[in-house]
Amino acid sequence: MFFRLSARTIISRLIVILVLSAAVGFLVGNTFLFVALSAVTILVWHYHHLFKLITWLWRSKAISPPEAEGIWGRIYDGLYHQTKKHRKKHKLLNAKIRQFRDGAEALPDAALVLSDDLTIEWGNKKAQRLLGIRWPGDIGQRIDNLLRFPEFSQYLEDANFESPCHIPSPINAELVLELRLMAYGSEQVLFLARDVSKVHRLEEMRRDFVANVSHELKTPLTVVRGYVEMVQMTEHALDPYWQKVFNTMDTQVSRMDRLVEQLLILSRVEINIDEDDKQLIDMPKLIRALVEDSKWLNQDKKHHITANIDDHLAIEGIDNEIKSACLNLISNAISYTQANGNIHISWQMDGNKAKFSVKDDGPGIRPENVNRITERFFRVDKSRSRDTGGSGLGLAIVKHVLNHHHAELSINSKWGMGSEFIIYFDPKCIRTVP
């Protein structure tokens, strides 16, 4: 029930009480005494209820306020109404918090809520089992003080949270954890850790299988190639029909040999992530050597190959990997650009990044294929890839090389109007040619 009290009402009531007291005092012959007694009585009554209110607010555990008549009764009723309203909201809030916690506990991942300075505010039970982080015991601790791994420290320093970070579990070295950070609200960060040990082991098994099979195929391919070449070199040993057969065998063995070689390169690139292998790479020298080699290998199609190279721009990286990535982009341009086409190779600064690009005026790539072109064995035109000897592994190798070097691949292509493959190197990799 709504209750309104105005200053006019209070003053009117005080005037009525004092006038009545003065009238009674006038009748008995002592007006001032009766008015004073009335004022004191009013003050005592109000202070009595004020003390009762203070006692109820600060000392009493009772939910209901004291009972009273008049204006204090109205005040108590209002306070009781607000208390009930507050308790109802509190119950709803607690229910929402329980729902959030139950949902967080049901997650298969370890979940932590961090402040914007990466201190722990909340965590689920899975966080203790996977990360050894206890809640509420570790509240207020910085996450990087509890997870002391160089990979994680570098991940936080780079502040690039679009891709995950992988570390071993602090409490079980056999587990591999995938870490992700994302914005949570306006001033918080959500930290998720997932056990990817099975996926990691399967990936290792796949890499080992591909590497071992590729290695084992090298010997029989070498033997077959040797016998084919031996037969081909024997003069007048074969009539034209069988000569054609052995020429086809030689072509297919060569193609298989290139495929095996690229599988071995891909396996090495996937495994090799040692930062200690990085050194200063003289990119102008490397690119010019690749351009010269390409011109010699490109005599049949007679492409017009041009280059624009910054002679002072170098990077820090793994030499054979960078060479393989650049060579794959140049080889793709040569393979898929029509005869007498144009290929332009560039090595320049672009803003604060180093940019290596290979641009051609070939047939281009359809928009629906651009996002899939770096997948293993994916080929835009399978029949044309067979003709050119493509394996579908070149850009997969490029992608893994760039992951090792904090670089990214950008593809600009319009169907029927050519393509441009660009590698952007992070500023921290850039060096100057001595």
Side-chain angles (χ1 to χ4, degrees), residues 24-35:
V24 173
F26 179 75
L27 293 175
V28 298
N30 200 337
T31 303
F32 177 78
L33 178 61
F34 272 80
V35 171

Side-chain angles (χ1 to χ4, degrees), residues 290-306 330-331 333-343:
L290 293 178
V291 170
E292 289 302 317
D293 292 343
S294 301
K295 289 180 178 178
W296 280 104
L297 297 172
N298 189 40
Q299 295 179 7
D300 292 338
K301 285 190 172 183
K302 297 181 180 180
H303 291 134
H304 180 56
I305 301 176
T306 58
I330 296 173
S331 299
I334 292 173
S335 298
Y336 293 105
T337 301
Q338 67 280 0
N340 300 313
N342 297 299
I343 298 174

Side-chain angles (χ1 to χ4, degrees), residues 130-238:
L130 291 180
L131 301 169
I133 294 175
R134 296 172 291 104
W135 185 84
D138 289 327
I139 285 181
Q141 294 279 353
R142 278 183 59 92
I143 186 67
D144 50 348
N145 288 338
L146 300 177
L147 300 180
R148 294 180 175 272
F149 295 94
E151 308 96 306
F152 184 58
S153 299
Q154 188 64 45
Y155 184 64
L156 294 178
E157 183 180 342
D158 294 341
N160 180 16
F161 303 136
E162 294 182 2
S163 57
C165 171
H166 293 88
I167 64 169
S169 170
I171 59 176
N172 187 352
E174 295 182 358
L175 299 182
V176 178
L177 303 181
E178 180 185 270
L179 310 182
R180 287 186 179 273
L181 277 81
M182 60 202 74
Y184 182 69
S186 58
E187 297 181 352
Q188 291 177 315
V189 176
L190 182 62
F191 175 97
L192 296 176
R194 175 179 299 177
D195 181 5
V196 292
S197 304
K198 292 182 179 179
V199 177
H200 186 73
R201 284 193 291 270
L202 287 173
E203 187 67 16
E204 284 186 339
M205 290 171 61
R206 180 194 63 77
R207 285 199 299 265
D208 292 342
F209 173 77
V210 171
N212 292 334
V213 169
S214 302
H215 182 74
E216 292 299 324
L217 284 173
K218 290 289 289 183
T219 300
L221 282 173
T222 302
V223 173
V224 172
R225 175 188 286 278
Y227 279 113
V228 169
E229 290 178 350
M230 183 179 68
V231 172
Q232 286 178 316
M233 288 187 298
T234 304
E235 295 184 1
H236 310 297
L238 300 173

Side-chain angles (χ1 to χ4, degrees), residues 89-118:
K89 289 183 178 180
H90 188 67
K91 287 181 179 179
L92 290 173
L93 181 60
N94 284 340
K96 293 292 184 182
I97 292 174
R98 281 195 298 270
Q99 288 178 358
F100 165 77
R101 289 183 176 176
D102 291 343
E105 294 295 348
L107 288 173
D109 307 332
L112 296 171
V113 176
L114 311 177
S115 64
D116 55 359
D117 62 348
L118 301 182

Side-chain angles (χ1 to χ4, degrees), residues 80-96:
Y80 182 61
H81 175 72
Q82 292 296 324
T83 301
K84 286 178 62 179
K85 190 175 178 181
H86 174 73
R87 286 174 60 83
K88 185 177 180 180
K89 289 183 178 180
H90 188 67
K91 287 181 179 179
L92 290 173
L93 181 60
N94 284 340
K96 293 292 184 182

